[in-house]
Amino acid sequence: MSHKKALHTFFYYLLSVLVAVIVLIPFFWMISTSLKSKGAIMALPVQWIPKKPTLKAYKQVFTMFPFLRAILNSLFITVSYTLITILSSSMAAFAFTKIRFPFADKLFKVYLASMMIPTQVTLIPLFIIMNRLGLINTYPSVILPSLFKAFGIFMLVQQLRTIPNDFMEAARMDGAGLFKIYWKVIMPLCSSAIATLSITTFMDSWNDYLWPLVMLTDKSKMTLTLALNSLNGQYGTQYNVLMAGSLLSMLPIILVYIGAQRNFKHGMLEGGVKG
Amino acid sequence: MKTKKNNERISAALFMLPSFIGMIIFSLLPILISIFISLTDWNGLEKLSPATISKDFIGLRNYTDILSGTEFWNVLAHTLYFIVLYIPLVFIASLIIAEILFQARKGVGVLRVIYYIPVLTSWVAASLIWKWVLSPQYGAVNQILAAVGINGPNWLTDEIWAMPAIVLASVWKDMGFYGLFLLSGLNGIDNTYYEAARVDGANKAKIFFSITMPLLSPSLFFCLIMSLINAFQLFPQVMIMTEGGPNGATQVMVERIYTYGFKYFKMGYASAYSWLLFVIIFALTLLQLKGQKVWVHYES
């Protein structure tokens, strides 16, 4: 029996390490390439570990493109986008679940139905609207769509429905107004759902491609994904530089993920299906 | 009493205001505009107004042009080619990941982070990495293949291999996501089922196929629909790895919408394309709602 168990353990680790290796090979390749010189990336036989490692590619990223600017743009846009999503979604979810108002059900259905429309449908008209408003090539053009995130509202509504109204009543007895209840009672009570929503929103915004691609054409406004995209367009064969840029673009999100792991419960899925 | 009710309504309106404005500007209005544009041959440069819409009005011609041409069906065929390869691979991979993480042995925390790194990576970075990994001469994949005596293909520049290359990158990127999703499904299965089966002396395979799979079916079904919807919305990986090439072999719907809209400025044509995409996604969503009620085995 214990022999069989040992065999099981062996195969378990064999498989899990094999999968991990498959996952990590492209990243290893990225790091290895980013440490090579221009000549070494096309040297045969291929060097898995660079013979003369150099940080030159990392310097070049910043000279070939305003990459630092792109990092700051991404940070500013992503943080604003996430904050607005959280505030706007939680306010709507609070109104839907804790305040009675006319047409609430109908409005909620409209919100839900909007989730079925793929973003590609609204892409062209939104480009036109943004153009009319003179917002093309500005931060608000990529930040403002965060005002309405149906998925976030839906997720928080589900969460808020589980909070008994007794909490509301108790706070009301103490004479608290609705805004105070929203901020001091309800928000803290659903903090873990909010943390989950924050992280998924942060990730989506940080990694977004199509929307910024259409809205931002000015180099000084570009986010990191667009910076990589345009480096690829201009220096498509200098993979050491492209890989250095890719690695730099990944680091913040991985740090956020590891830092937030305590709160992170595989986001999107709460309230999705029950197994 | 009445003022209290009025106060509540005013507060409700204030709480709803940001999302409501957002809904009008970023969802409702664009949807209406998109319907109108799709019925015109507007060139995207003139100022859009009711006057231009009525001047450029061509009825359903964009739709009939798309549906009667060969390109749209080729695009669908490419998507189907993607789906046929991608779905089985990503399901096997994510089931393996879910099972590995479910057993929760020592070191599982590290594995969990590792499996999730591709999910955290942006598609732009992931596409660049894969473009280089799949480089015929200098890439890691063909190096490894050569080491076991296989002459690797020219991947992204080969009409037959370009789509499988995109599939490989997509499976690699998505398997952690679906893996963790299925893990939460596995965690939701009541332990008593397993205990009962063990008491009855069922073996591992039997337990997997007669308990795990049926009870996991709601999660599997959800993953299936989600991955199908995503398959019809392929974009960044195609844009960066192949730009629809070689020779149009990886042209897919969103890539077409982007190309027609923002490269050729055929805004009407692109909008019509986007509504056809909507029809497909809508059908899949309905299928999901139906499936959840009928097909799926629910734990009661």
Side-chain angles (χ1 to χ4, degrees), chain A residues 175-227:
Chain A
L178 279 172
F179 283 91
K180 202 169 176 191
I181 295 174
Y182 158 74
W183 193 248
K184 297 262 169 151
V185 181
I186 300 296
M187 288 290 268
L189 279 174
C190 58
S191 57
S192 93
I194 290 197
T196 306
L197 183 62
S198 307
I199 294 164
T200 45
T201 310
F202 191 94
M203 266 173 60
D204 287 349
S205 171
W206 187 267
N207 291 337
D208 198 11
Y209 176 60
L210 178 55
W211 185 249
L213 180 67
V214 171
M215 290 298 151
L216 307 172
T217 47
D218 187 346
K219 264 191 182 177
S220 68
K221 293 282 165 39
M222 283 186 178
T223 59
L224 270 172
T225 52
L226 293 185

Side-chain angles (χ1 to χ4, degrees), chain A residues 18 21-26 28-29 46 48, chain B residues 130 133-153 155:
Chain A
L18 187 72
V21 167
I22 293 173
V23 167
L24 291 176
I25 282 178
F28 176 79
W29 197 243
V46 164
W48 282 84
Chain B
W130 273 90
V133 165
L134 289 173
S135 156
Q137 246 188 309
Y138 310 105
V141 170
N142 279 5
Q143 287 294 322
I144 294 169
L145 288 177
V148 291
I150 300 171
N151 202 352
W155 297 109

Side-chain angles (χ1 to χ4, degrees), chain A residues 144-259:
Chain A
L144 286 179
S146 58
L147 277 174
F148 180 63
K149 288 283 129 192
F151 172 75
I153 296 171
F154 178 64
M155 180 184 151
L156 291 178
V157 160
Q158 288 206 316
Q159 184 67 26
L160 283 178
R161 277 190 182 142
T162 63
I163 298 175
N165 284 337
D166 304 358
F167 283 104
M168 291 274 298
E169 296 308 321
R172 285 231 156 149
M173 291 293 183
D174 294 344
L178 279 172
F179 283 91
K180 202 169 176 191
I181 295 174
Y182 158 74
W183 193 248
K184 297 262 169 151
V185 181
I186 300 296
M187 288 290 268
L189 279 174
C190 58
S191 57
S192 93
I194 290 197
T196 306
L197 183 62
S198 307
I199 294 164
T200 45
T201 310
F202 191 94
M203 266 173 60
D204 287 349
S205 171
W206 187 267
N207 291 337
D208 198 11
Y209 176 60
L210 178 55
W211 185 249
L213 180 67
V214 171
M215 290 298 151
L216 307 172
T217 47
D218 187 346
K219 264 191 182 177
S220 68
K221 293 282 165 39
M222 283 186 178
T223 59
L224 270 172
T225 52
L226 293 185
L228 287 177
N229 186 49
S230 86
L231 274 174
N232 179 42
Q234 266 181 292
Y235 309 96
T237 51
Q238 295 202 35
Y239 277 100
N240 52 346
V241 179
L242 292 175
M243 293 300 102
S246 299
L247 179 66
L248 290 175
S249 81
M250 288 170 59
L251 286 180
I253 202 91
I254 290 175
L255 291 179
V256 166
Y257 176 74
I258 292 173

Side-chain angles (χ1 to χ4, degrees), chain B:
Chain B
M1 204 58 205
K2 194 151 190 206
T3 50
K4 197 189 157 203
K5 203 172 174 185
N6 272 338
N7 278 342
E8 288 233 323
R9 284 186 177 185
I10 292 166
S11 314
L14 287 174
F15 275 107
M16 293 301 302
L17 197 63
S19 65
F20 188 75
I21 293 174
M23 194 266 292
I24 299 289
I25 298 180
F26 299 112
S27 195
L28 205 60
L29 198 60
I31 289 169
L32 293 176
I33 295 177
S34 177
I35 293 173
F36 282 118
I37 297 177
S38 78
L39 302 172
T40 68
D41 60 356
W42 178 56
N43 61 15
L45 301 173
E46 259 176 297
K47 204 171 169 187
L48 188 73
S49 67
T52 44
I53 285 182
S54 64
K55 179 170 74 68
D56 295 338
F57 186 81
I58 54 168
L60 291 173
R61 213 176 75 208
N62 284 327
Y63 293 90
T64 51
D65 278 358
I66 293 171
L67 291 173
S68 60
T70 51
E71 188 198 72
F72 176 73
W73 304 102
N74 284 338
V75 162
L76 278 191
H78 301 153
T79 310
L80 209 65
Y81 185 25
F82 176 87
I83 288 172
V84 166
L85 294 173
Y86 171 81
I87 298 277
L89 282 174
V90 84
F91 268 74
I92 293 169
S94 48
L95 272 170
I96 289 174
I97 285 179
E99 188 59 34
I100 288 172
L101 297 179
F102 184 62
Q103 289 200 12
R105 300 195 191 208
K106 212 174 168 190
V108 86
V110 179
L111 289 173
R112 197 187 165 105
V113 172
I114 290 176
Y115 297 159
Y116 210 68
I117 299 176
V119 183
L120 300 171
T121 309
S122 73
W123 250 124
V124 177
S127 305
L128 289 176
I129 294 170
W130 273 90
K131 215 172 134 189
W132 182 229
V133 165
L134 289 173
S135 156
Q137 246 188 309
Y138 310 105
V141 170
N142 279 5
Q143 287 294 322
I144 294 169
L145 288 177
V148 291
I150 300 171
N151 202 352
N154 284 335
W155 297 109
L156 297 170
T157 49
D158 184 318
E159 278 183 44
I160 294 168
W161 285 100
M163 194 52 102
I166 288 173
V167 169
L168 273 184
S170 304
V171 169
W172 172 85
K173 179 138 173 30
D174 297 341
M175 61 189 188
F177 177 82
Y178 292 115
L180 257 74
F181 186 91
L182 294 177
L183 173 67
S184 69
L186 286 176
N187 283 328
I189 297 175
D190 199 327
N191 224 347
T192 51
Y193 288 103
Y194 290 115
E195 276 157 22
R198 254 175 244 129
V199 171
D200 290 346
N203 63 14
K204 280 242 154 98
K206 176 116 196 186
I207 289 176
F208 182 76
F209 285 107
S210 55
I211 295 181
T212 309
M213 287 306 266
L215 288 173
L216 199 59
S217 65
S219 304
L220 287 170
F221 184 65
F222 193 78
C223 282
L224 178 69
I225 299 286
M226 203 161 31
S227 49
L228 283 174
I229 290 177
N230 287 337
F232 281 97
Q233 293 179 288
L234 280 186
F235 182 67
Q237 59 267 61
V238 170
M239 225 31 212
I240 289 162
M241 289 168 76
T242 64
E243 282 185 85
N247 198 14
T250 54
Q251 286 178 347
V252 288
M253 289 197 84
V254 180
E255 179 268 336
R256 292 285 86 195
I257 294 170
Y258 178 79
T259 305
Y260 281 121
F262 296 99
K263 282 194 179 152
Y264 306 153
F265 296 102
K266 290 172 77 177
M267 296 281 186
Y269 198 75
S271 297
Y273 236 106
S274 74
W275 282 105
L276 293 171
L277 174 66
F278 164 75
V279 170
I280 294 170
I281 289 175
F282 187 70
L284 285 169
T285 312
L286 286 187
L287 194 69
Q288 177 186 3
L289 295 175
K290 266 240 158 67
Q292 271 182 355
K293 283 183 196 136
V294 183
W295 181 77
V296 153
H297 173 106
Y298 270 109
E299 208 177 340
S300 50

